Each structure stands twice: as structure tokens, then as C-alpha cells.
Amino acid sequence: MQITVRVNGDEYTRDVEPRLLLVHFLRDELGLTGTHWGCDTSNCGVCTVQVDGTPVKSCTTLAVMVDGREVTTVEGLEQDGQLDPVQQGFINCHGLQCGFCTPGMLMTTKALLKQNPDPTEAEIREAISGNLCRCTGYENIVRSVRWAAEQTAEQQEVKA
């Protein structure tokens, strides 16, 4: 099947097998290896990307399902050489250790902050509950999200 999809602002048209998973399309067809591939059952969340702004697990989403839609991967967070506040928060607050879960956490966090720019700790924990981390214990991840929320709020105040 032929699909056309916009990924990180660029449009791609490819012939794909109907059974091709989005994670493999992104990694193998487009070379966007920031999206990790973990459990293949949507349990771990490392493959999370955004489709039309909504986090989805790309290991259980078929590439044909995103035909005509907008996909954002972790590579799409950085803009004009500047890290997104979510990325910077994970660096500044040590929200990562091995880094395997980080792309999925970043994509989930970005969607959370767009929907809820000032989440409570409980709301952050609920939002990231579909993304497993075996290294950090989540404390620094929550701090990273709070840092990003504060930076985003400050940026909005400066623009206003």
C-alpha cells in the first residue's frame, strides 16, 4: 500500500506492507532511530510517538494507520538547534540514566504539557504510567517534567 505521512514536518510517501508497524517504518524506512523498540506489546512505552499530537505506542500501530496524518518523533522536539524544554528538563534534572525509556517519556511529557501546562505530581505520574523505566525510580523524571512545565510557563509569560 502507498502511504503519505508527515513526520517531524517533512512529508514522506512510501510503499509499505499493510502489516508494517509504525516503529519499523520510522526506524527502517525513514532512519529515525530515536524511537526505540522494546516489548512489542505496548507495555513498556519506549516506542511512544505522537500522531496528530496524541501519544501512541508505535509498536502496535500499523504504518498504514497514519496515512495522511502528522507524526512527531523525539527527533522532532528540537527546533532550530534549541532543545525543547522537555529535553532540557531531563538533562538538567537527571531524568534519565540508561536512556532507553527516554524518547517515549519525552513524547508523553510533551503531550501532557500541551494539554495541561501546570500538572501536579499525581497528574505527571498518571501521564507517564504507560512508560516503564527500570533505572530512575521516576523521582527525577517527575522533577524533569516539573522543570519543563516551569520553563514553558516562563516562556509564555515572556511572549505575552
Side-chain angles (χ1 to χ4, degrees):
M1 297 181 68
Q2 187 175 76
I3 64 169
T4 300
V5 60
R6 184 169 293 281
V7 180
N8 300 330
D10 296 324
E11 188 170 281
Y12 299 91
T13 300
R14 296 285 194 280
D15 287 321
V16 299
E17 289 188 35
R19 65 183 177 171
L20 181 68
L21 294 172
L22 179 56
V23 67
H24 297 304
F25 176 76
L26 295 169
R27 292 180 60 82
D28 302 336
E29 292 287 324
L30 303 185
L32 298 171
T33 57
T35 301
H36 291 164
W37 178 36
C39 67
D40 244 359
T41 60
S42 78
N43 287 320
C44 72
V46 302
C47 68
T48 302
V49 299
Q50 291 182 14
V51 176
D52 297 333
T54 301
V56 300
K57 309 277 179 78
S58 64
C59 75
T60 54
T61 302
L62 297 172
V64 296
M65 295 169 72
V66 298
D67 184 29
R69 300 176 77 186
E70 175 77 36
V71 175
T72 306
T73 69
V74 69
E75 290 94 343
L77 292 180
E78 172 270 327
Q79 295 293 313
D80 300 322
Q82 296 292 327
L83 293 179
D84 187 90
V86 171
Q87 292 169 305
Q88 195 63 54
F90 272 67
I91 292 169
N92 290 359
C93 300
H94 310 289
L96 59 105
Q97 285 183 19
C98 82
F100 195 68
C101 72
T102 304
M105 288 284 188
L106 292 172
M107 299 312 296
T108 300
T109 297
K110 184 69 176 172
L112 166 66
L113 294 180
K114 185 174 182 180
Q115 179 184 6
N116 180 357
D118 189 26
T120 65
E121 180 177 333
E123 290 168 330
I124 293 168
R125 289 182 180 278
E126 181 179 340
I128 65 170
S129 65
N131 298 78
L132 300 179
C133 177
R134 294 192 169 126
C135 301
T136 66
Y138 300 97
E139 291 301 318
N140 288 344
I141 292 172
V142 172
R143 281 190 205 103
S144 299
V145 177
R146 286 296 320 141
W147 187 94
E150 291 164 8
Q151 298 307 304
T152 302
E154 287 177 16
Q155 289 175 355
Q156 295 302 323
E157 287 176 16
V158 169
K159 289 180 183 178

Tab-separated table of all heavy atoms in Angstrom, residues 78-124:
chain	number	residue	atom	x	y	z
A	78	GLU	N	13.507	19.019	19.047
A	78	GLU	CA	14.500	20.083	18.898
A	78	GLU	C	14.107	20.958	17.720
A	78	GLU	O	13.702	20.466	16.679
A	78	GLU	CB	15.883	19.449	18.676
A	78	GLU	CG	16.968	20.413	18.318
A	78	GLU	CD	17.116	20.639	16.827
A	78	GLU	OE1	16.885	19.721	16.035
A	78	GLU	OE2	17.448	21.779	16.457
A	79	GLN	N	14.183	22.273	17.911
A	79	GLN	CA	13.809	23.207	16.849
A	79	GLN	C	14.907	24.253	16.690
A	79	GLN	O	15.301	24.896	17.662
A	79	GLN	CB	12.485	23.908	17.181
A	79	GLN	CG	11.288	22.987	17.244
A	79	GLN	CD	10.927	22.405	15.896
A	79	GLN	OE1	10.849	23.110	14.903
A	79	GLN	NE2	10.733	21.103	15.859
A	80	ASP	N	15.393	24.411	15.474
A	80	ASP	CA	16.402	25.425	15.161
A	80	ASP	C	17.606	25.346	16.088
A	80	ASP	O	18.117	26.372	16.560
A	80	ASP	CB	15.778	26.827	15.213
A	80	ASP	CG	14.637	26.996	14.219
A	80	ASP	OD1	14.754	26.461	13.093
A	80	ASP	OD2	13.635	27.634	14.579
A	81	GLY	N	18.058	24.141	16.382
A	81	GLY	CA	19.240	23.961	17.217
A	81	GLY	C	18.990	24.114	18.705
A	81	GLY	O	19.923	24.028	19.504
A	82	GLN	N	17.748	24.341	19.103
A	82	GLN	CA	17.400	24.513	20.511
A	82	GLN	C	16.636	23.290	21.010
A	82	GLN	O	15.651	22.879	20.401
A	82	GLN	CB	16.522	25.761	20.702
A	82	GLN	CG	17.210	27.055	20.348
A	82	GLN	CD	18.329	27.387	21.327
A	82	GLN	OE1	18.244	27.082	22.516
A	82	GLN	NE2	19.388	27.983	20.825
A	83	LEU	N	17.099	22.764	22.130
A	83	LEU	CA	16.366	21.661	22.738
A	83	LEU	C	15.026	22.155	23.240
A	83	LEU	O	14.896	23.291	23.698
A	83	LEU	CB	17.152	21.065	23.902
A	83	LEU	CG	18.446	20.343	23.569
A	83	LEU	CD1	19.114	19.841	24.850
A	83	LEU	CD2	18.213	19.195	22.605
A	84	ASP	N	14.045	21.308	23.163
A	84	ASP	CA	12.739	21.583	23.753
A	84	ASP	C	12.906	21.635	25.273
A	84	ASP	O	13.766	20.939	25.827
A	84	ASP	CB	11.775	20.453	23.362
A	84	ASP	CG	10.358	20.737	23.779
A	84	ASP	OD1	9.631	21.339	22.983
A	84	ASP	OD2	9.987	20.352	24.917
A	85	PRO	N	12.103	22.436	25.974
A	85	PRO	CA	12.198	22.452	27.439
A	85	PRO	C	12.062	21.062	28.068
A	85	PRO	O	12.686	20.789	29.107
A	85	PRO	CB	11.042	23.363	27.864
A	85	PRO	CG	10.848	24.282	26.715
A	85	PRO	CD	11.153	23.450	25.494
A	86	VAL	N	11.305	20.196	27.459
A	86	VAL	CA	11.173	18.835	27.984
A	86	VAL	C	12.521	18.118	27.914
A	86	VAL	O	12.949	17.475	28.876
A	86	VAL	CB	10.077	18.055	27.210
A	86	VAL	CG1	10.079	16.595	27.576
A	86	VAL	CG2	8.713	18.674	27.464
A	87	GLN	N	13.208	18.237	26.791
A	87	GLN	CA	14.529	17.618	26.662
A	87	GLN	C	15.506	18.223	27.663
A	87	GLN	O	16.252	17.503	28.326
A	87	GLN	CB	15.060	17.806	25.237
A	87	GLN	CG	14.282	17.043	24.191
A	87	GLN	CD	14.679	17.463	22.787
A	87	GLN	OE1	14.629	18.635	22.444
A	87	GLN	NE2	15.078	16.489	21.986
A	88	GLN	N	15.513	19.540	27.760
A	88	GLN	CA	16.433	20.222	28.661
A	88	GLN	C	16.140	19.853	30.113
A	88	GLN	O	17.056	19.703	30.919
A	88	GLN	CB	16.352	21.733	28.467
A	88	GLN	CG	17.515	22.480	29.095
A	88	GLN	CD	18.849	22.114	28.462
A	88	GLN	OE1	19.031	22.196	27.261
A	88	GLN	NE2	19.786	21.692	29.293
A	89	GLY	N	14.866	19.694	30.438
A	89	GLY	CA	14.492	19.289	31.793
A	89	GLY	C	15.054	17.934	32.159
A	89	GLY	O	15.537	17.731	33.277
A	90	PHE	N	15.013	16.993	31.242
A	90	PHE	CA	15.548	15.664	31.519
A	90	PHE	C	17.061	15.714	31.706
A	90	PHE	O	17.619	14.952	32.496
A	90	PHE	CB	15.156	14.681	30.411
A	90	PHE	CG	13.832	14.018	30.648
A	90	PHE	CD1	12.655	14.747	30.615
A	90	PHE	CD2	13.752	12.666	30.913
A	90	PHE	CE1	11.428	14.138	30.834
A	90	PHE	CE2	12.532	12.044	31.137
A	90	PHE	CZ	11.362	12.789	31.102
A	91	ILE	N	17.714	16.634	31.009
A	91	ILE	CA	19.157	16.798	31.191
A	91	ILE	C	19.436	17.471	32.533
A	91	ILE	O	20.220	16.969	33.344
A	91	ILE	CB	19.761	17.635	30.040
A	91	ILE	CG1	19.689	16.851	28.730
A	91	ILE	CG2	21.195	18.043	30.357
A	91	ILE	CD1	20.005	17.673	27.497
A	92	ASN	N	18.798	18.598	32.768
A	92	ASN	CA	19.082	19.385	33.974
A	92	ASN	C	18.730	18.667	35.267
A	92	ASN	O	19.398	18.846	36.276
A	92	ASN	CB	18.341	20.716	33.931
A	92	ASN	CG	18.887	21.658	32.890
A	92	ASN	OD1	19.839	21.355	32.183
A	92	ASN	ND2	18.277	22.825	32.777
A	93	CYS	N	17.661	17.885	35.234
A	93	CYS	CA	17.175	17.241	36.465
A	93	CYS	C	17.507	15.759	36.528
A	93	CYS	O	16.953	15.030	37.357
A	93	CYS	CB	15.668	17.458	36.601
A	93	CYS	SG	15.219	19.201	36.686
A	94	HIS	N	18.376	15.299	35.649
A	94	HIS	CA	18.843	13.907	35.656
A	94	HIS	C	17.683	12.923	35.529
A	94	HIS	O	17.607	11.940	36.257
A	94	HIS	CB	19.672	13.616	36.911
A	94	HIS	CG	20.738	14.625	37.148
A	94	HIS	ND1	21.861	14.710	36.354
A	94	HIS	CD2	20.828	15.644	38.049
A	94	HIS	CE1	22.614	15.714	36.762
A	94	HIS	NE2	22.008	16.301	37.790
A	95	GLY	N	16.793	13.214	34.586
A	95	GLY	CA	15.622	12.376	34.384
A	95	GLY	C	15.894	11.141	33.554
A	95	GLY	O	14.967	10.449	33.158
A	96	LEU	N	17.147	10.864	33.283
A	96	LEU	CA	17.473	9.675	32.521
A	96	LEU	C	18.728	9.042	33.082
A	96	LEU	O	19.559	9.710	33.683
A	96	LEU	CB	17.661	9.992	31.035
A	96	LEU	CG	18.745	11.012	30.703
A	96	LEU	CD1	19.961	10.336	30.124
A	96	LEU	CD2	18.182	12.039	29.750
A	97	GLN	N	18.826	7.747	32.901
A	97	GLN	CA	20.051	7.045	33.261
A	97	GLN	C	20.520	6.269	32.037
A	97	GLN	O	21.390	6.747	31.318
A	97	GLN	CB	19.849	6.157	34.478
A	97	GLN	CG	19.791	6.974	35.751
A	97	GLN	CD	19.665	6.132	36.997
A	97	GLN	OE1	19.955	4.942	37.011
A	97	GLN	NE2	19.233	6.752	38.071
A	98	CYS	N	19.921	5.143	31.751
A	98	CYS	CA	20.375	4.390	30.571
A	98	CYS	C	19.868	5.023	29.286
A	98	CYS	O	20.470	4.863	28.235
A	98	CYS	CB	19.975	2.925	30.668
A	98	CYS	SG	18.274	2.557	30.174
A	99	GLY	N	18.739	5.741	29.357
A	99	GLY	CA	18.205	6.444	28.196
A	99	GLY	C	17.248	5.644	27.334
A	99	GLY	O	16.675	6.192	26.394
A	100	PHE	N	17.050	4.371	27.623
A	100	PHE	CA	16.213	3.563	26.754
A	100	PHE	C	14.763	4.025	26.756
A	100	PHE	O	14.128	4.111	25.715
A	100	PHE	CB	16.309	2.078	27.129
A	100	PHE	CG	15.766	1.182	26.059
A	100	PHE	CD1	16.413	1.058	24.839
A	100	PHE	CD2	14.604	0.475	26.255
A	100	PHE	CE1	15.913	0.244	23.832
A	100	PHE	CE2	14.094	-0.346	25.264
A	100	PHE	CZ	14.754	-0.459	24.050
A	101	CYS	N	14.237	4.377	27.914
A	101	CYS	CA	12.839	4.809	28.001
A	101	CYS	C	12.660	6.279	27.631
A	101	CYS	O	11.538	6.734	27.426
A	101	CYS	CB	12.294	4.581	29.409
A	101	CYS	SG	12.957	5.717	30.659
A	102	THR	N	13.748	7.019	27.561
A	102	THR	CA	13.689	8.477	27.454
A	102	THR	C	12.877	8.983	26.264
A	102	THR	O	12.044	9.882	26.446
A	102	THR	CB	15.103	9.070	27.455
A	102	THR	OG1	15.787	8.618	28.635
A	102	THR	CG2	15.064	10.586	27.442
A	103	PRO	N	13.054	8.473	25.037
A	103	PRO	CA	12.248	9.019	23.935
A	103	PRO	C	10.745	8.919	24.179
A	103	PRO	O	10.010	9.880	23.947
A	103	PRO	CB	12.669	8.180	22.719
A	103	PRO	CG	14.044	7.719	23.056
A	103	PRO	CD	14.036	7.495	24.554
A	104	GLY	N	10.292	7.782	24.686
A	104	GLY	CA	8.870	7.628	24.985
A	104	GLY	C	8.416	8.544	26.102
A	104	GLY	O	7.329	9.135	26.037
A	105	MET	N	9.244	8.693	27.122
A	105	MET	CA	8.923	9.614	28.222
A	105	MET	C	8.822	11.043	27.707
A	105	MET	O	7.912	11.787	28.091
A	105	MET	CB	9.997	9.553	29.312
A	105	MET	CG	9.991	8.309	30.126
A	105	MET	SD	8.650	8.300	31.321
A	105	MET	CE	9.089	6.825	32.233
A	106	LEU	N	9.761	11.445	26.855
A	106	LEU	CA	9.749	12.803	26.316
A	106	LEU	C	8.493	13.072	25.501
A	106	LEU	O	7.868	14.128	25.637
A	106	LEU	CB	10.994	13.051	25.458
A	106	LEU	CG	12.332	13.086	26.189
A	106	LEU	CD1	13.480	13.130	25.185
A	106	LEU	CD2	12.407	14.255	27.156
A	107	MET	N	8.103	12.128	24.663
A	107	MET	CA	6.938	12.326	23.810
A	107	MET	C	5.651	12.355	24.627
A	107	MET	O	4.744	13.138	24.354
A	107	MET	CB	6.876	11.252	22.723
A	107	MET	CG	8.079	11.260	21.787
A	107	MET	SD	8.526	12.891	21.144
A	107	MET	CE	7.085	13.293	20.187
A	108	THR	N	5.585	11.525	25.655
A	108	THR	CA	4.418	11.529	26.542
A	108	THR	C	4.356	12.830	27.329
A	108	THR	O	3.291	13.452	27.453
A	108	THR	CB	4.481	10.318	27.494
A	108	THR	OG1	4.479	9.125	26.707
A	108	THR	CG2	3.317	10.306	28.454
A	109	THR	N	5.501	13.261	27.838
A	109	THR	CA	5.581	14.500	28.609
A	109	THR	C	5.207	15.710	27.767
A	109	THR	O	4.474	16.597	28.227
A	109	THR	CB	6.999	14.675	29.186
A	109	THR	OG1	7.258	13.601	30.086
A	109	THR	CG2	7.148	15.993	29.903
A	110	LYS	N	5.693	15.759	26.545
A	110	LYS	CA	5.379	16.881	25.658
A	110	LYS	C	3.866	16.994	25.456
A	110	LYS	O	3.301	18.093	25.510
A	110	LYS	CB	6.095	16.708	24.312
A	110	LYS	CG	5.920	17.840	23.356
A	110	LYS	CD	6.639	19.081	23.817
A	110	LYS	CE	6.508	20.164	22.752
A	110	LYS	NZ	7.029	21.438	23.221
A	111	ALA	N	3.210	15.866	25.244
A	111	ALA	CA	1.750	15.881	25.063
A	111	ALA	C	1.048	16.298	26.348
A	111	ALA	O	0.076	17.058	26.308
A	111	ALA	CB	1.267	14.508	24.601
A	112	LEU	N	1.540	15.817	27.481
A	112	LEU	CA	0.943	16.195	28.766
A	112	LEU	C	0.998	17.703	28.954
A	112	LEU	O	-0.008	18.326	29.298
A	112	LEU	CB	1.675	15.510	29.924
A	112	LEU	CG	1.369	16.068	31.325
A	112	LEU	CD1	-0.079	15.815	31.708
A	112	LEU	CD2	2.332	15.492	32.348
A	113	LEU	N	2.162	18.299	28.736
A	113	LEU	CA	2.323	19.731	28.984
A	113	LEU	C	1.539	20.586	27.990
A	113	LEU	O	1.145	21.702	28.319
A	113	LEU	CB	3.804	20.116	28.982
A	113	LEU	CG	4.614	19.505	30.129
A	113	LEU	CD1	6.063	19.957	30.031
A	113	LEU	CD2	4.006	19.833	31.476
A	114	LYS	N	1.298	20.056	26.818
A	114	LYS	CA	0.448	20.791	25.869
A	114	LYS	C	-0.997	20.803	26.369
A	114	LYS	O	-1.694	21.808	26.284
A	114	LYS	CB	0.530	20.170	24.481
A	114	LYS	CG	-0.221	20.962	23.441
A	114	LYS	CD	-0.019	20.418	22.059
A	114	LYS	CE	-0.755	21.298	21.066
A	114	LYS	NZ	-0.616	20.831	19.709
A	115	GLN	N	-1.433	19.688	26.903
A	115	GLN	CA	-2.805	19.555	27.402
A	115	GLN	C	-2.964	20.208	28.776
A	115	GLN	O	-3.996	20.797	29.076
A	115	GLN	CB	-3.185	18.080	27.485
A	115	GLN	CG	-4.570	17.825	28.019
A	115	GLN	CD	-4.854	16.336	28.175
A	115	GLN	OE1	-3.996	15.489	27.991
A	115	GLN	NE2	-6.074	16.020	28.519
A	116	ASN	N	-1.940	20.078	29.605
A	116	ASN	CA	-2.003	20.566	30.983
A	116	ASN	C	-0.661	21.222	31.317
A	116	ASN	O	0.262	20.543	31.746
A	116	ASN	CB	-2.285	19.407	31.940
A	116	ASN	CG	-2.359	19.844	33.385
A	116	ASN	OD1	-2.158	21.008	33.716
A	116	ASN	ND2	-2.627	18.889	34.260
A	117	PRO	N	-0.533	22.527	31.122
A	117	PRO	CA	0.762	23.182	31.290
A	117	PRO	C	1.283	23.248	32.725
A	117	PRO	O	2.443	23.565	32.937
A	117	PRO	CB	0.542	24.589	30.735
A	117	PRO	CG	-0.900	24.739	30.479
A	117	PRO	CD	-1.558	23.420	30.603
A	118	ASP	N	0.454	22.944	33.701
A	118	ASP	CA	0.888	23.001	35.098
A	118	ASP	C	0.388	21.768	35.851
A	118	ASP	O	-0.427	21.867	36.778
A	118	ASP	CB	0.382	24.288	35.761
A	118	ASP	CG	0.976	24.505	37.135
A	118	ASP	OD1	2.087	23.998	37.408
A	118	ASP	OD2	0.326	25.174	37.958
A	119	PRO	N	0.882	20.590	35.493
A	119	PRO	CA	0.364	19.368	36.117
A	119	PRO	C	0.903	19.179	37.530
A	119	PRO	O	2.018	19.596	37.862
A	119	PRO	CB	0.895	18.266	35.200
A	119	PRO	CG	2.173	18.831	34.655
A	119	PRO	CD	1.906	20.305	34.498
A	120	THR	N	0.101	18.547	38.348
A	120	THR	CA	0.529	18.159	39.690
A	120	THR	C	1.421	16.926	39.575
A	120	THR	O	1.473	16.268	38.521
A	120	THR	CB	-0.675	17.814	40.576
A	120	THR	OG1	-1.308	16.635	40.029
A	120	THR	CG2	-1.663	18.966	40.665
A	121	GLU	N	2.070	16.595	40.664
A	121	GLU	CA	2.892	15.384	40.665
A	121	GLU	C	2.038	14.159	40.332
A	121	GLU	O	2.457	13.290	39.562
A	121	GLU	CB	3.592	15.193	42.010
A	121	GLU	CG	4.443	13.944	42.036
A	121	GLU	CD	5.210	13.732	43.323
A	121	GLU	OE1	5.525	14.721	44.011
A	121	GLU	OE2	5.489	12.558	43.629
A	122	ALA	N	0.851	14.089	40.892
A	122	ALA	CA	-0.036	12.945	40.629
A	122	ALA	C	-0.413	12.884	39.146
A	122	ALA	O	-0.461	11.798	38.558
A	122	ALA	CB	-1.290	13.027	41.494
A	123	GLU	N	-0.683	14.033	38.547
A	123	GLU	CA	-1.035	14.063	37.121
A	123	GLU	C	0.151	13.655	36.252
A	123	GLU	O	-0.022	12.970	35.233
A	123	GLU	CB	-1.536	15.452	36.740
A	123	GLU	CG	-2.890	15.781	37.349
A	123	GLU	CD	-3.269	17.249	37.221
A	123	GLU	OE1	-2.377	18.135	37.200
A	123	GLU	OE2	-4.495	17.518	37.151
A	124	ILE	N	1.350	14.067	36.637
A	124	ILE	CA	2.551	13.658	35.897
A	124	ILE	C	2.710	12.149	35.989
A	124	ILE	O	2.915	11.473	34.974
A	124	ILE	CB	3.802	14.369	36.445
A	124	ILE	CG1	3.732	15.867	36.156
A	124	ILE	CG2	5.071	13.754	35.846
A	124	ILE	CD1	4.767	16.699	36.896
